[in-house]
Amino acid sequence: MDKLLEKLKDWIKVIQAALLGTIIIEAILVIVIGVASNKIDDNFNHWTGILFACSLVYIFLVVIKAAYQFKFPSSIVDELISKRQLEEKTNCLTGKKRLTNISILQFRD
């Protein structure tokens, strides 16, 4: 269980670093979207293209972030539950093997 917790701790550090990067990228995109939206006029110019491209990147980033946030806690919990169930079954089988060995030794006597 300790190895799993160490892996979890390392993974959380990676997630925190990625979260910081995501926040910085989101802030830059929001600033560029704000500037581009103020520069738009009736004609399709480069500011309209910048606004469109930044909006798509921002939406993509938000969708990925939301999907990962929904999956991240449940995947950790599922792995911890599976690990615990495996340990319980292993302990149960070990106990049954001991009882079987004791029974065989008593039967031989």
Side-chain angles (χ1 to χ4, degrees), residues 3-54:
K3 288 182 183 180
L4 182 62
L5 292 176
E6 285 298 319
K7 288 180 184 178
L8 179 60
K9 190 175 181 179
D10 292 342
W11 184 244
I12 288 174
K13 287 180 184 178
V14 170
I15 296 301
Q16 289 172 341
L19 181 62
L20 180 62
T22 304
I23 290 170
I24 292 170
I25 292 171
E26 282 183 17
I28 292 169
L29 285 172
V30 168
I31 291 169
V32 172
I33 288 171
V35 170
S37 64
N38 285 331
K39 301 286 184 177
I40 291 179
D41 54 11
D42 293 337
N43 302 330
F44 184 85
N45 55 18
H46 66 281
W47 287 108
T48 307
I50 291 172
L51 177 65
F52 183 70
C54 287

Side-chain angles (χ1 to χ4, degrees), residues 60-93:
F60 178 73
L61 189 64
V62 168
V63 168
I64 288 176
K65 194 168 95 173
Y68 189 77
Q69 286 177 345
F70 284 123
K71 183 181 177 192
F72 181 66
S74 65
S75 64
I76 293 172
V77 170
D78 291 342
E79 190 169 344
L80 289 172
I81 289 171
S82 297
K83 178 81 172 173
R84 182 172 298 275
Q85 288 173 346
L86 181 63
E87 287 175 354
E88 288 173 359
K89 290 180 181 181
T90 302
N91 291 338
C92 182
L93 287 175

